[in-house]
Amino acid sequence: QVQLVESGGGLVQPGGSLRLSCAASGNIFSRYAAGWYRQAPGKQRDLVATITAGGRTNYADSVKGRFTISRDNAKNTVYLQMNSLKPEDTAVYYCNAVYVSPLTGKYDYWGQGTQVTVSS
């Protein structure tokens, strides 16, 4: 079982920056792929960025060049550095961790979400 706790959300002006953190419980988090997703009011939850256990990253086109996902396995934490924020980045941001065991199947966990509001 893995528990994910996000932090770092808040209100920021357009063009500003925020860094989200996702702290995971458990001692095998380094084996998990992790990602950030976001959901704006009335919209579906969309992928923002992912990072594999080996550190390979992937980004939604809308955030490429502005957001950076990273992980510190020693701290069991995944980060999302968000720069040049736009009002359309406003959403609840969720952390996700996924691990597929060849023996026992898929493990898929979500955090409770953290609100990011970009407004002047």
Side-chain angles (χ1 to χ4, degrees):
Q1 184 80 3
V2 172
Q3 292 184 325
L4 304 175
V5 179
E6 300 103 331
S7 62
L11 173 65
V12 63
Q13 292 186 343
S17 298
L18 283 175
R19 188 175 81 154
L20 304 183
S21 299
C22 173
S25 65
N27 58 6
I28 60 169
F29 180 68
S30 61
R31 302 182 189 178
Y32 282 71
W36 289 95
Y37 294 73
R38 65 187 181 187
Q39 187 168 18
K43 296 188 176 181
Q44 67 181 18
R45 189 174 297 186
D46 291 328
L47 179 148
V48 175
T50 60
I51 186 166
T52 67
R56 187 166 62 246
T57 59
N58 180 57
Y59 297 92
D61 287 343
S62 59
V63 306
K64 282 181 180 177
R66 300 188 299 123
F67 291 11
T68 302
I69 188 171
S70 61
R71 66 191 301 163
D72 184 339
N73 289 333
K75 295 182 178 180
N76 275 6
T77 302
V78 176
Y79 304 98
L80 185 68
Q81 178 66 43
M82 305 185 295
N83 299 328
S84 302
L85 282 160
K86 305 174 181 180
E88 50 264 43
D89 294 318
T90 296
V92 178
Y93 284 70
Y94 296 91
C95 180
N96 172 252
V98 176
Y99 173 65
V100 180
S101 166
L103 296 178
T104 54
K106 183 178 181 181
Y107 299 84
D108 191 356
Y109 301 101
W110 291 89
Q112 82 288 352
T114 185
Q115 176 71 46
V116 172
T117 303
V118 184
S119 175
S120 55

